[in-house]
Amino acid sequence: MTPLGFGAATLGGLFEPMTDEQAEEVLEAAWDAGIRYFDTAPHYGVGLSEERLGRFLAGKPREEFVLSTKVGRLLVPHDGPAREGVAGFYGAPNRDRVLDFSRDGVLRSLEESLKRLGLDRVDVLFIHDPDDHEEQALREAYPALARLREEGVVSSVGVGMNQTRIPARFVRETGIDCLLLAGRYTLLDARAGEELLPLCEERGVEVVGAGVFNSGLLAAPRPGATYDYVPAPDELVWRAKRIAEVCARHGVAPAAAAIAFTRSHPAVRTVLVGMRNPAEVRQNAAAAAATVPAELWAELSSEGLLP
């Protein structure tokens, strides 16, 4: 895995539609920047992200990239009028998401993802957001993933969520290899550092840190910015602005500090960032490569801004 990964929700039209040409352009820029880890899911644009990513990766040597996708949502055609903005995605195919964390649902989900991707395998398979299906995910979905890993169909299995309690159960009660954690170890919300990440470090579970900008606010702190996929509360906008001001005094981009903070925990293996165009790829690649001075962390701490 490269230290910076490509979060492919944008390819599915997250927040705004994206054309096939734009998708190809941003993926090519990511590849040119040295990014070799790509994460997608059926949820992202009801399959559109997987389809676009698969077409791009078809032209790349299979041994040169790492790919993860997810299970827990099956996609079915929708016969009514096309609907925009469902779950925050625009320009997506006319399909519905059906939650399914059963053994058969997991196997069917992977089979359909492989068809959309045009590949015969993925490297990492995550159980996606089983918030309201906790027991079924533990008792049915995980054993199905473990069997796929045993058979060599996938290399690593895990769970991907925006919370800490259920992932901690998976770490304690199953043999997952990795965890995709979105938005819970950032400069604005570091609750995962209290119990979950130390537990992962202890058990040897490697963490993919996602949502490092809390869906945009930390990268561009301004009114109207999003936090966890919805408009950010004024208090958090104010806090993010103060963090940006401290960063400016040290000549560090807020995005660089955000990425460095998440990646600083020893349990975190790589950081995923969503990107829409080549300019964002270049900005994020530069931010990921930047050196953040210790004085910046010290000032954030003294100002009460470091979690």
Side-chain angles (χ1 to χ4, degrees):
M1 276 190 178
T2 44
L4 180 65
F6 186 97
T10 53
L11 302 183
L14 182 63
F15 300 137
E16 61 184 73
M18 177 182 286
T19 66
D20 288 343
E21 293 74 21
Q22 289 171 326
E24 179 78 14
E25 189 178 47
V26 69
L27 285 167
E28 197 64 65
W31 189 272
D32 290 344
I35 294 171
R36 295 293 185 270
Y37 172 43
F38 301 87
D39 173 74
T40 184
H43 176 56
Y44 303 157
V46 282
L48 183 60
S49 173
E50 289 183 320
E51 291 165 353
R52 286 172 164 168
L53 185 57
R55 286 196 293 270
F56 173 77
L57 293 175
K60 305 301 179 184
R62 183 61 185 90
E63 67 278 6
E64 289 191 15
F65 62 85
V66 175
L67 174 66
S68 59
T69 192
K70 307 179 184 73
V71 298
R73 290 173 174 86
L74 296 173
L75 307 181
V76 296
H78 177 72
D79 296 329
R83 295 172 295 180
E84 287 290 325
V86 177
F89 291 92
Y90 295 82
N94 206 16
R95 302 167 183 153
D96 285 331
R97 302 166 179 84
V98 178
L99 292 173
D100 191 333
F101 295 90
S102 68
R103 174 189 175 277
D104 290 344
V106 163
L107 298 178
R108 180 179 159 192
S109 178
L110 176 59
E111 180 182 6
E112 293 177 354
S113 285
L114 291 175
K115 289 179 181 177
R116 287 189 291 268
L117 289 162
L119 298 171
D120 59 2
R121 65 181 173 89
V122 296
D123 302 292
V124 186
L125 196 57
F126 293 109
I127 302 169
H128 198 187
D129 293 338
D131 300 74
D132 299 322
H133 302 267
E134 180 178 351
E135 296 304 324
Q136 187 178 36
L138 281 161
R139 308 303 170 211
E140 294 190 47
Y142 168 71
L145 264 62
R147 182 65 180 270
L148 290 169
R149 178 181 58 191
E150 182 182 327
E151 294 172 348
V153 178
V154 298
S155 301
S156 302
V157 301
V159 61
M161 302 193 74
N162 295 273
Q163 58 148 286
T164 61
R165 185 187 65 81
I166 294 177
R169 278 197 68 188
F170 271 88
V171 175
R172 290 194 186 94
E173 299 177 24
T174 75
I176 60 171
D177 306 292
C178 49
L179 167 68
L180 195 160
L181 183 67
R184 302 288 78 88
Y185 193 70
T186 75
L187 281 170
L188 292 175
D189 182 346
R191 74 185 77 172
E194 299 168 9
E195 177 188 17
L196 179 58
L197 293 188
L199 181 63
C200 288
E201 187 181 6
E202 175 189 329
R203 302 291 178 91
V205 174
E206 295 187 327
V207 177
V208 176
V212 297
F213 305 143
N214 286 115
S215 78
L217 180 58
L218 277 170
R222 60 178 182 268
T226 52
Y227 175 84
D228 285 2
Y229 313 107
V230 298
D234 291 342
E235 177 186 351
L236 286 179
V237 173
W238 173 82
R239 186 178 181 88
K241 282 183 174 180
R242 288 192 62 200
I243 291 172
E245 289 167 0
V246 174
C247 288
R249 287 198 287 273
H250 292 270
V252 173
I259 291 173
F261 176 81
T262 300
R263 208 160 60 187
S264 68
H265 196 285
V268 175
R269 173 73 177 274
T270 186
V271 168
L272 277 177
V273 177
M275 308 176 220
R276 297 187 180 279
N277 53 58
E280 289 189 3
V281 171
R282 290 189 290 271
Q283 290 167 3
N284 287 316
T291 299
V292 178
E295 292 79 11
L296 169 62
W297 305 123
E299 185 172 349
L300 287 174
S301 181
S302 68
E303 294 287 329
L305 297 170
L306 191 66

